[in-house]
Amino acid sequence: MVVGPDASISDQVPVGQPPAEAEGPQKAIEGRSLGQIAWRRLKRDKAAMAGGIVIILLILIAIFAPLIVNAWGYDPNSFHQETMDPATQAPTSTFPFGSFDPKHLMGVEPPFGRDIFSRVLYGARISLLIAFLATLLSVIIGATLGVIAGYLGGWVDWVISRAMDLFLAFPILVFAIALAGVIPDKAFGLSGDTLRIVLLIFIIGFFNWGYMARIVRGQTLSLREREFVDAARSLGARSGYILRKELLPNLVAPILIYATLLIPTNILFEAGLSFLGVGIRPPTATWGGMLSEAVRYYTMPHFMFWPGLAIFITVLAFNLFGDGLRDALDPKTR
Amino acid sequence: MTESTAGESVATQTPTKEALLSAQGLQKHFPITKGLLKRQVAAVKAVDGIDFDVYKGETLGLVGESGCGKSTTGRLITRLAEPTAGKIMFDGKDISHLGTGAMRPFRRDMQMIFQDPFSSLNPRHTVGTIVGAPFHIQGVKTPHGVKRAVQDLLKLVGLNPEHYNRYPHEFSGGQRQRIGIARTLALKPKLIIADEPVSALDVSIQAQVVNLLEDLQNELGLTYVVIAHDLSVVRHISDRVAVMYLGKIVEIADRESLYSNPRHPYTVALMSAVPVPNPRRREANQRQRVLLTGDVPSPIDPPTGCRFRTRCWKAQDICATTEPPLVVREGDAPGHQTACHFPVADNEEVAGRTAAA
């Protein structure tokens, strides 16, 4: 009777005058979701869009680095001793800073004359891979534990919150340096760079989930008190349904925002570890490792310039995009 | 409430008057804990032993000022909160301590309308998802599919069914409340608990929603428990009214009986707070406000005996020692129960009345 086709029709929809047909060929009413509105806002934000484009370019560069290097440059680890002056260990190129040479776009590295251009491209692969996967790990652990702590409360919340405190207080840098010394070249069926990359992803991701969990927990605490959660409960919904269908869609925005702001932090952290020599080991090209090697040639600071610029642009792009995303998804904070 | 006194007089005229919902000695105490071990040091006695029946097809209004336990009562009835003590009977079955799973079948027959239409609809869901959620959660099959059922519901509450794909933020407060009402109607419940259904709406919209609720009641034979602090709304919609003060029901009666002849001093004070828009009528009726002094005492440590005695102009020694029972007082209509040792008489000069400024 309630939902029958003859259910009483209100004043807004007078009987005998079906509104849908009357409007004829007009297109059906489509609601704009909050996501679509956010996308419109984001498109208007020039800085964020620039950041987004740079990020996409960086990802493409990282993916297609071998192709680009094949077509344009040299293998990142091959030596070009002929370009170096054996006496001074400086590039013999006459181009300013040894760069902008049509043969070696960003010049060559002392003392072996490795091509900086291809090393920067290959460094992007390591940096982005580690930063993305470590962030993903933090997001998965942090969001899951955060939403559980916030929703269930009580002793579960207490245990998870104390674990968060523990991880936030953890001297992660000291731990990373110590771990790098202990880990052998072969472990867990992995070896060499693969092992190091997995290890870095684990260290950075596993020790960073605390921030994510805190943000998600806080959001969940406030969402839990909203009446739509009570409405779902009064319909007989189970906790799993409320978490997945009611709470999670509202948490996507803060998770996404924090993830895009966590990525540049992780890039910097990976570069820092590689700089300290506890990240990826040479000769594999990483931005941090290149900086570290360039330090020895401080009289020729242009060797530091290119990897430094790469880190700077990447971090800036992610931060601009993340800020724009936050403004677009959460206009109240503007 | 003692069933016999309420039912007796009217039983002859309407033999179908049976209780759909019955609360007996219902209590909700929120513990206050202290220290690392969460030792309980006290309790907020939000609802402290109330009895009432809701009869099939009627509307029971629940009024009282903020913090008197109206909303907690609503949450106890719908079992969004676990009662500390007492019994809730719904349709003859005890639902006081059922778990989520055991409660599920009862949820179909008992739904809730929420106070704030800006908080009760998930901003990430379309209207179709929101109104269709009851079907999904309860696993109810609809003859022509969920979409058709939702659109019929939207029509029923006076919304354009074409708005199926829209999001809550595209609607006004009144429209949002209609969406919430459509959701509560989806499972064809017998009882609807409306927790301040119009207090968050514009005054101009309130009447629309109240009238919609009344129309739906006539059409679908619904039973309502309407929680409100707006006395004129309650007067408009209710068949019977219960007045709450500090976790207790102080007076319960048929609407006419309560509004024409309030017996409890608190009810008298509450009634006098209703503004009369016409100043001439205000003077003609000699309506003067009863200004209560002081604040509502803390529900953590309520006064002994009668809870209203600390603010009552008629309080005597007995009020501090003996809690007045909620019974029919001399000369009142059957079903008009008052919890007061010295109920206010009809032509009584009320002390503490001051001329309205």
Side-chain angles (χ1 to χ4, degrees), chain B residues 53-300:
Chain B
D53 290 314
V54 184
Y55 303 112
K56 273 186 183 147
E58 78 162 352
T59 301
L60 175 70
L62 212 52
V63 288
E65 63 198 297
S66 307
C68 71
K70 319 181 286 280
S71 289
T72 308
T73 306
R75 293 174 63 83
L76 286 174
I77 302 170
T78 46
R79 286 303 322 285
L80 288 172
E82 182 83 17
T84 312
K87 221 161 129 188
I88 307 161
M89 303 287 287
F90 180 70
D91 228 0
K93 284 159 214 106
D94 187 350
I95 59 163
S96 340
H97 297 286
L98 293 183
T100 315
M103 194 61 208
R104 270 166 78 89
F106 291 101
R107 301 254 182 233
R108 291 191 192 185
D109 291 334
M110 183 156 72
Q111 280 295 310
M112 190 152 181
I113 296 173
F114 291 89
Q115 174 174 9
D116 181 2
F118 290 87
S119 154
S120 65
L121 309 177
N122 192 331
R124 302 274 161 187
H125 289 172
T126 61
V127 171
T129 315
I130 290 168
V131 180
F135 300 119
H136 291 295
I137 292 172
Q138 288 279 351
V140 174
K141 291 268 180 295
T142 43
H144 304 286
V146 172
K147 182 170 182 180
R148 175 72 175 277
V150 169
Q151 292 186 327
D152 287 335
L153 282 165
L154 292 178
K155 257 189 251 170
L156 185 68
V157 298
L159 290 171
N160 185 348
E162 297 289 307
H163 290 167
Y164 182 86
N165 279 325
R166 289 213 170 173
Y167 287 82
H169 64 89
E170 297 172 280
F171 293 91
S172 69
Q175 286 175 314
R176 281 163 159 251
Q177 197 59 306
R178 283 170 193 261
I179 296 168
I181 292 170
R183 172 174 60 189
T184 59
L185 292 175
L187 298 170
K188 303 176 191 171
K190 293 177 186 158
L191 174 68
I192 289 180
I193 288 112
D195 186 359
E196 310 246 7
V198 296
S199 60
L201 303 177
D202 272 6
V203 178
S204 57
I205 306 295
Q206 287 187 352
Q208 279 183 23
V209 173
V210 167
N211 289 337
L212 172 68
L213 288 174
E214 283 200 318
D215 292 347
L216 291 170
Q217 181 171 41
N218 296 336
E219 216 165 299
L220 309 172
L222 299 168
T223 305
Y224 287 137
V225 173
V226 177
I227 299 164
H229 58 244
D230 186 333
L231 288 162
S232 46
V233 167
V234 168
R235 181 173 201 168
H236 185 79
I237 198 169
S238 305
D239 298 313
R240 287 193 307 138
V241 179
V243 181
M244 282 187 77
Y245 182 77
L246 211 60
K248 290 266 188 196
I249 290 182
V250 295
E251 188 164 4
I252 182 167
D254 290 340
R255 172 183 56 183
E256 286 315 319
S257 181
L258 187 91
Y259 278 83
S260 62
N261 182 25
R263 299 301 310 272
H264 198 284
Y266 178 64
T267 315
V268 173
L270 208 58
M271 298 290 171
S272 80
V274 178
V276 177
N278 186 341
R280 221 168 277 154
R281 245 186 70 203
R282 193 158 53 204
E283 275 160 35
N285 290 8
Q286 303 251 303
R287 272 192 82 267
Q288 285 173 330
R289 287 207 54 193
V290 180
L291 287 180
L292 295 176
T293 48
D295 282 329
V296 185
S298 161
I300 297 169

Side-chain angles (χ1 to χ4, degrees), chain A residues 31-55:
Chain A
R32 276 199 276 137
S33 76
L34 293 183
Q36 285 165 309
I37 290 170
W39 173 234
R40 278 170 170 243
R41 267 194 228 117
L42 190 65
K43 273 199 291 194
R44 265 185 265 135
D45 187 342
K46 289 200 183 81
M49 285 317 281
I53 289 165
V54 171
I55 290 169

Side-chain angles (χ1 to χ4, degrees), chain A residues 190-208:
Chain A
L190 301 168
S191 65
D193 280 350
T194 324
L195 175 66
R196 292 251 150 205
I197 290 172
V198 171
L199 201 67
L200 280 178
I201 290 170
F202 174 78
I203 291 173
I204 299 173
F206 190 69
F207 288 90
N208 262 336

Side-chain angles (χ1 to χ4, degrees), chain A residues 239-257:
Chain A
S239 291
Y241 177 94
I242 293 172
L243 282 177
R244 280 181 294 111
K245 297 284 168 88
E246 302 285 342
L247 295 182
L248 211 55
N250 287 287
L251 290 169
V252 166
I255 290 174
L256 213 60
I257 292 163

